[in-house]
Amino acid sequence: MAPALLLVPAALVSFVLAFGTGVEFVRFTSLRPLLGGVPESGPDVRQGWLAALQDPSILASLAWDLGLLLLFMGQHSLMATETVKAWSSRYFGVLQRSLYVTCTALALQPLILPQLVMRYWESIPRGPVLWEARAEPWATWVPLLCFVLHIISWLLIFSILLVFDYAELMGLKQVYYHILGLGEPLALKSPRALRLFSHLRHPVCVELLTVLWVVPTLGTDRLLLALLLTLYLGLAHGLDQHDLRYLRAQLQRKLHLLSRPQDGEAE
């Protein structure tokens, strides 16, 4: 294992890369569809669904976008398997989580290397839309409502990531514990928490689905993005009654801790 002087910069570089990718992901999924303005091609030049399925240029763009999504989902799932985790832990040790975060960021949007999914994503302005808010008053109020819901969703996502230990998710805590000789952070968690983490790979499922689907215009490429990521999130979401009881107990415990100072002041 590399000395601590090398572990810390490696973990920090991975964190900065992941943070930058997260900012770009917010721009890609929220700011661009909400604040990108009205596309140059209006409804009069949009093709119908049958015509779009016969247009080689639209099919080529959809195939390209599909390939980018499959590349990301393949990397994200393959590196989460126990076999790859064991291999990366053997050769990278405490940096295993940082390696996973870095590869995920590179698959989405590297800050230095050429971007993949988000830079090479091809929009289809001439393609059909599932819905589109263009007539007043919907052209004003629907984007505003979507913008508010996106802000709430991203605030919830950020809060949930903090609750689920953001430093550990990004691989920083593993390096910190290793330097202090505290061992693996997961080893200190309860069996019920470990069981929950094994079933809940994506703790922000509902919020991400809101971001993906709640847009003023759901075009062809956005529909492809929303459908595939919805299926991917659904397949990775496997909570059962035991997990729900554990989450309910943890929520009640946190609410009790938050109410204790108020009880003290009342006394």
Side-chain angles (χ1 to χ4, degrees):
M1 175 55 62
L5 291 179
L6 297 180
L7 292 177
V8 174
L12 289 177
V13 168
S14 174
F15 171 78
V16 172
L17 181 62
F19 183 83
T21 301
V23 173
E24 180 65 16
F25 188 71
V26 173
R27 185 199 67 82
F28 175 73
T29 56
S30 291
L31 298 183
R32 191 167 80 172
L34 295 179
L35 305 179
V38 179
E40 297 180 359
S41 56
D44 54 329
V45 298
R46 289 192 184 276
Q47 300 186 28
W49 290 98
L50 292 179
L53 294 177
Q54 300 175 357
D55 190 328
S57 62
I58 291 181
L59 293 178
S61 297
L62 286 176
W64 178 262
D65 293 341
L66 176 63
L68 291 175
L69 284 173
L70 293 178
L71 175 65
F72 162 71
M73 291 187 292
Q75 173 274 324
H76 204 59
S77 298
L78 181 63
M79 293 194 66
T81 60
E82 294 301 327
T83 302
V84 176
K85 281 184 178 180
W87 178 85
S88 56
S89 297
R90 177 182 178 185
Y91 290 98
F92 294 91
V94 73
L95 291 177
Q96 182 269 331
R97 183 66 189 180
S98 296
L99 176 67
Y100 176 80
V101 170
T102 299
C103 291
T104 300
L106 292 177
L108 276 175
Q109 179 262 317
L111 296 178
I112 301 176
L113 301 177
Q115 300 172 345
L116 292 178
V117 173
M118 290 184 283
R119 168 161 296 186
Y120 293 116
W121 185 265
E122 292 191 5
S123 59
I124 307 176
R126 295 189 301 109
V129 296
L130 197 60
W131 64 71
E132 185 175 22
R134 297 185 66 91
E136 294 293 346
W138 310 114
T140 299
W141 290 105
V142 171
L144 180 60
L145 176 62
C146 293
F147 185 77
V148 172
L149 290 176
H150 277 232
I151 290 179
I152 295 174
S153 296
W154 285 116
L155 289 176
L156 288 174
I157 288 173
F158 180 70
S159 302
I160 292 173
L161 290 179
L162 291 179
V163 171
F164 273 78
D165 202 337
Y166 185 73
E168 186 174 347
L169 290 174
M170 294 296 102
L172 292 175
K173 194 172 183 178
Q174 289 84 337
V175 174
Y176 176 73
Y177 272 43
H178 175 77
I179 293 175
L180 297 181
L182 299 178
E184 175 65 31
L186 282 177
L188 303 178
K189 298 186 181 298
S190 66
R192 297 179 68 186
L194 295 176
R195 188 178 187 277
L196 172 66
F197 293 157
S198 66
H199 292 170
L200 186 65
R201 285 187 51 203
H202 299 280
V204 291
C205 182
V206 176
E207 293 78 10
L208 277 179
L209 292 181
T210 302
V211 169
L212 291 172
W213 288 98
V214 180
V215 288
T217 301
L218 190 68
T220 311
D221 58 301
R222 181 71 177 204
L223 179 61
L224 175 67
L225 176 70
L227 276 177
L228 283 186
L229 290 185
T230 298
L231 290 175
Y232 183 68
L233 290 172
L235 292 175
H237 190 78
L239 294 182
D240 55 19
Q241 292 298 323
H242 296 285
D243 297 321
L244 294 177
R245 283 196 293 268
Y246 173 75
L247 284 173
R248 189 180 301 112
Q250 291 299 309
L251 178 60
Q252 292 175 352
R253 184 178 65 87
K254 293 180 182 297
L255 291 176
H256 177 69
L257 291 176
L258 291 175
S259 65
R260 288 178 61 182
Q262 298 178 0
D263 295 341
E265 292 176 0
E267 294 176 358

